[in-house]
């Protein structure tokens, strides 16, 4: 039977991604058959997980994904593996106002699948007080079991011993102590880590993390803490979203890379074929496709190149005359009339929708979203409710003249001003769709 565990922390920035990657890489080096999963909406960490394990990583999100879909994704991840290791999101209990099993927290994933939790604790500027933190987390929710602790950013052997001795009284083992080492940090940019595919030395970085884990984590003890995954027979067999076409042209390069694996897998299982093309290489969507999907990514970093990609722009314009084109977040920005980069330079985009966006006028838009579709589109029929999220710094400087695509609300039920756009066969929004509600 496949076992699992969840690696979490008391807050964001505690080092759980570094610890998780090191653990995954070290176990893969040992020959353990394992899959990684990421709790919550995240495009970037899963690519590092895949690089560490050599297997695709799946997202598991209890707020956006109905329970049968969540169960199906975990069941698929567990097929043919010894261990599924889930990296948490933010702090262990951080979520949104909702019932505990649907609040988007790491704890909700641990509870649903009965996953023991390895708690990563940043012990910078504290010693025995760390035991009080562990005690609080261990007793906060009876359905969540803190099975072990990894101390991160330990200053010295004495520092480690003070903390380990204090935690020992709780009956929770310390299964690792990682010293402070800036060399282990992964480079970041405005949406998180620099993407795995952009590191020419990714294999070297992963190997260094595996070395760290072998030296500073008790791998045998961690494996012994994993427990059988509890999955339900009530599993979804339908895709999270309907395929946008039979042959889907998917923009795929450094500017367009944010697409969830569960969507692609669902479309393929429904019989659709996915054909990738690169706008940055000035490629047009293939003519034999019947829909085009422009995912999110980093068009703001490549606005100049996209503005001069005439084959892409002209080909997309021809495509949109007879077939559906949908853009999410970065893809939505490229569908507009213009994009202002970080230096304030305006670059002409495809103009298939009439809005304009700016990365110079930066404002963080972050959070879960529920979208009611205002018209039939490739992401669902009129009136359908879709759950997803937003995460971007770009702003609309001109909302344009197109018909709105969605009514958006946040998890507090408050209406949001951004409504996307639709014109002819073209639709787009900053909202990333994850699943039907």
């Amino acid at each position: 039977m496949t076992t699992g565990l969840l690696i979490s922390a008391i807050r964001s920035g505690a080092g759980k991604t570094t610890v998780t990657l090191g653990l995954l890489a070290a176990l893969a080096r040992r020959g353990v058959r394992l899959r990684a999963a990421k709790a919550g909406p995240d495009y970037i960490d899963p690519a590092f997980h895949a690089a560490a394990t050599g297997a695709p990583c799946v997202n598991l999100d209890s707020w956006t994904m109905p329970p049968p879909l969540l169960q199906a994704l975990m069941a698929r991840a567990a097929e043919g593996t010894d261990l599924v290791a889930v990296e948490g999101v933010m702090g262990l209990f951080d979520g949104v106002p909702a019932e505990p099993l649907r609040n988007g927290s790491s704890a909700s994933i641990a509870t649903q699948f009965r996953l023991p939790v390895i708690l990563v604790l940043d012990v910078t500027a504290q010693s025995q007080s760390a035991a009080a933190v562990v005690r609080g987390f261990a007793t906060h929710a009876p359905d969540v079991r803190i099975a072990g602790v990894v101390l991160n950013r330990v200053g010295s052997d004495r520092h480690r011993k003070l903390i380990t001795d204090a935690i020992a009284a709780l009956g929770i083992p310390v299964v690792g102590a990682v010293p402070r080492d800036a060399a282990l940090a992964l480079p970041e940019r405005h949406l998180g880590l620099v993407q795995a595919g952009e590191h020419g030395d990714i294999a070297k970085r992963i190997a260094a993390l595996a070395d760290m884990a072998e030296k500073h984590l008790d791998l045998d003890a961690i494996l012994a803490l994993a427990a059988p995954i509890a999955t339900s027979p009530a599993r979804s067999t339908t895709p999270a979203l309907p395929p946008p076409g039979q042959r889907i042209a998917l923009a795929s390069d450094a500017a367009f890379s944010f697409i969830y694996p569960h969507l692609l897998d669902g479309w393929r299982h429904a019989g659709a074929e996915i054909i990738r093309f690169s706008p940055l290489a000035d490629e047009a969507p293939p003519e034999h496709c019947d829909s085009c999907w422009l995912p999110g990514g980093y068009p703001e970093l490549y606005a100049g190149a996209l503005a001069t990609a005439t084959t892409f722009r002209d080909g997309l314009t021809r495509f949109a005359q007879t077939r559906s084109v949908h853009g999410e977040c970065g893809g939505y920005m490229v569908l507009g009339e213009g994009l202002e980069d970080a230096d304030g330079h305006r670059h002409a985009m495809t103009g298939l929708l009439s809005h304009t966006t700016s990365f110079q006028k930066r404002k963080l838009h972050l959070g879960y979203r529920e979208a009611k579709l205002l018209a039939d589109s490739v992401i669902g029929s009129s009136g359908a409710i879709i759950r997803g999220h937003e995460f971007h710094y770009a702003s609309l400087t001109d909302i344009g003249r197109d018909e709105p695509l969605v009514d958006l609300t946040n998890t507090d039920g408050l209406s949001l001003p951004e409504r996307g756009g639709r014109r002819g066969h073209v639709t787009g929004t900053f909202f990333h769709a994850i699943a039907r509600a």
Side-chain angles (χ1 to χ4, degrees):
M1 179 178 289
T2 303
T3 61
L5 51 80
L6 185 138
I7 301 96
S8 192
I10 66 168
R11 58 172 175 80
S12 294
K16 64 179 176 290
T17 297
T18 300
V19 170
T20 299
L21 290 175
L23 175 64
L24 292 172
L27 294 178
R29 184 183 280 177
R30 279 190 171 194
V32 177
R33 297 183 305 164
L34 77 160
R35 288 282 299 271
K38 173 65 181 178
D42 190 313
Y43 292 105
I44 297 174
D45 288 357
F48 284 93
H49 294 164
T53 63
C57 174
V58 65
N59 293 80
L60 302 171
D61 186 82
S62 67
W63 190 83
T64 60
M65 295 175 175
L69 173 62
L70 200 58
Q71 290 287 337
L73 293 175
M74 176 59 95
R76 289 175 202 154
E79 289 176 358
T81 61
D82 299 317
L83 174 73
V84 177
V86 183
E87 181 187 349
V89 57
M90 299 187 293
L92 176 60
F93 298 105
D94 295 330
V96 297
E99 61 180 280
L101 292 182
R102 294 297 308 274
N103 69 4
S105 69
S106 302
S108 69
I109 299 299
T111 301
Q112 289 191 57
F113 299 107
R114 298 179 194 161
L115 301 176
V117 175
I118 304 297
L119 190 68
V120 177
L121 194 62
D122 180 354
V123 294
T124 303
Q126 64 176 314
S127 56
Q128 290 99 327
S129 294
V133 175
V134 175
R135 183 189 298 274
F137 271 70
T139 58
H140 183 72
D143 292 334
V144 178
R145 181 168 71 90
I146 306 299
V149 176
V150 170
L151 309 180
N152 194 30
R153 299 172 187 145
V154 175
S156 65
D157 284 342
R158 181 173 182 274
H159 187 207
R160 175 192 57 76
K161 187 175 188 307
L162 287 170
I163 301 169
T164 301
D165 289 349
I167 293 175
L170 306 178
I172 299 173
V174 173
V175 293
V178 181
R180 298 171 194 160
D181 187 351
L184 292 174
L186 295 166
E188 299 186 29
R189 59 160 68 108
H190 56 281
L191 295 182
L193 297 176
V194 174
Q195 296 181 92
E198 297 180 54
H199 293 285
D201 62 346
I202 185 63
K204 181 179 177 181
R205 289 179 180 274
I206 294 296
L209 290 170
D211 292 342
M212 174 276 293
E214 289 179 340
K215 185 175 182 181
H216 299 294
L217 303 182
D218 188 337
L219 299 179
D220 291 327
I222 291 172
L223 281 174
L225 292 175
I229 298 171
T231 55
S232 165
R235 301 170 190 167
S236 174
T237 58
T238 58
L241 293 176
Q246 186 64 34
R247 289 194 181 92
I248 305 163
L250 177 68
S252 181
D253 55 31
F256 301 93
S257 57
F258 294 165
I259 182 80
Y260 284 114
H262 79 273
L263 292 181
L264 299 181
D265 290 344
W267 294 345
R268 290 191 186 101
H269 290 153
E273 182 182 3
I274 296 166
I275 297 94
R276 298 174 185 267
F277 73 101
S278 170
L280 281 180
D282 201 13
E283 297 173 353
E287 282 296 326
H288 68 288
C289 292
D290 55 8
S291 70
C292 179
W293 191 279
L294 304 178
Y298 290 99
E300 63 270 22
L301 302 182
Y302 304 96
L306 291 168
T308 58
T310 55
T311 299
F312 161 64
R313 186 170 64 244
D314 294 345
L316 189 67
T317 300
R318 285 194 308 273
F319 194 99
Q321 290 173 359
T322 57
R323 289 154 290 179
S324 65
V325 174
H326 182 71
E328 278 193 345
C329 200
Y332 173 58
M333 294 164 68
V334 173
L335 290 176
E337 291 185 354
L339 194 169
E340 190 176 60
D341 65 21
D343 296 322
H345 299 135
R346 188 183 189 278
H347 303 271
M349 292 290 104
T350 62
L352 294 177
L353 295 174
S354 58
H355 62 278
T356 57
T357 54
S358 173
F359 186 62
Q360 186 188 48
K361 299 176 177 62
R362 289 166 56 123
K363 179 182 177 182
L364 176 61
H365 301 79
L366 171 66
Y368 285 128
R369 303 288 184 258
E370 188 167 86
K372 179 181 180 181
L373 299 182
L374 300 176
D376 292 343
S377 72
V378 292
I379 59 175
S381 57
S382 179
I385 304 297
I386 309 294
R387 284 188 168 185
H389 70 106
E390 275 189 86
F391 184 21
H392 60 93
Y393 284 90
S395 299
L396 279 169
T397 53
D398 185 341
I399 63 173
R401 306 166 302 282
D402 306 306
E403 293 294 317
L405 176 64
V406 294
D407 276 335
L408 281 185
T409 57
N410 63 17
T411 54
D412 294 321
L414 299 176
S415 295
L416 301 174
E418 201 275 298
R419 305 180 78 196
R422 55 188 170 95
R423 184 202 301 173
H425 297 286
V426 181
T427 56
T429 171
F430 273 122
F431 163 77
H432 292 282
I434 291 181
R436 288 171 283 204

